[in-house]
Amino acid sequence: MTPSRRSLLLVVLAIPVAGTILRPAIASEPEVFATGGIAISGYDAVAYFTDGKPVRGSPDHALIWRGATWYFASAEAMEAFEMNPYAYAPQYGGYCAYAMTKGAIAATAPDAFALSSGRLYLTYSTEIRAIWADDVAGNVALADAHWPAALNKK
């Protein structure tokens, strides 16, 4: 049985839509950097904003978001994140913000963080954070241009 023109046309029209919908599902890297399935190595994303430093979270206050488990130091912090995860989650899925400027992904260290314009950025190390800090606005623009396409690179 040969396909009709109508069925071929539907398939051709569906390809761009399917590519857009399925993009996160077929990424070669997960959307959130999570060692052992735990985001930010178990540190509380909200504490970076409220305490200005990394604070270890607890499995007693955990939730799953974007395929990773997130730990929090308190029920209040967990609730704040749950109500608005985009306000607290690190940019670029918690991958190194500086590596993202190069279109690459790299692991991060919880103590190598920066807050800028109400956003949390994690980097590979405190040395890399210093490089990131030399031009935050320029680095954000470069990293934004590569995110999330960098997840699909091998």
Side-chain angles (χ1 to χ4, degrees):
M1 181 173 169
T2 60
S4 69
R5 283 186 180 179
R6 174 179 269 168
S7 62
L8 285 174
L9 181 60
L10 287 173
V11 169
V12 169
L13 291 175
I15 289 172
V17 173
T20 302
I21 293 170
L22 296 176
R23 182 176 310 267
I26 59 174
S28 57
E29 295 295 332
E31 187 176 0
V32 172
F33 175 68
T35 304
I38 309 297
I40 318 177
S41 300
Y43 283 79
D44 181 340
V46 175
Y48 287 98
F49 296 92
T50 59
D51 296 9
K53 64 181 182 182
V55 174
R56 187 125 336 245
S58 166
D60 294 336
H61 307 291
L63 61 83
I64 296 175
W65 183 71
R66 298 272 172 155
T69 301
W70 299 74
Y71 289 169
F72 302 93
S74 68
E76 294 80 16
M78 183 177 74
E79 183 178 344
F81 185 90
E82 192 171 26
M83 297 304 291
N84 190 1
Y86 294 103
Y88 298 106
Q91 299 301 291
Y92 318 119
Y95 291 98
C96 177
Y98 185 72
M100 194 58 60
T101 68
K102 311 295 185 200
I105 58 170
T108 52
D111 63 328
F113 75 97
L115 295 173
S116 179
S117 300
R119 298 286 180 222
L120 172 61
Y121 299 93
L122 299 173
T123 59
Y124 179 78
S125 67
T126 54
E127 293 81 14
I128 296 296
R129 179 184 59 194
I131 296 168
W132 167 265
D134 283 342
D135 182 14
V136 174
N139 285 325
V140 167
L142 287 170
D144 284 353
H146 291 291
W147 179 257
L151 295 175
N152 296 314
K153 293 183 178 181
K154 291 202 179 203

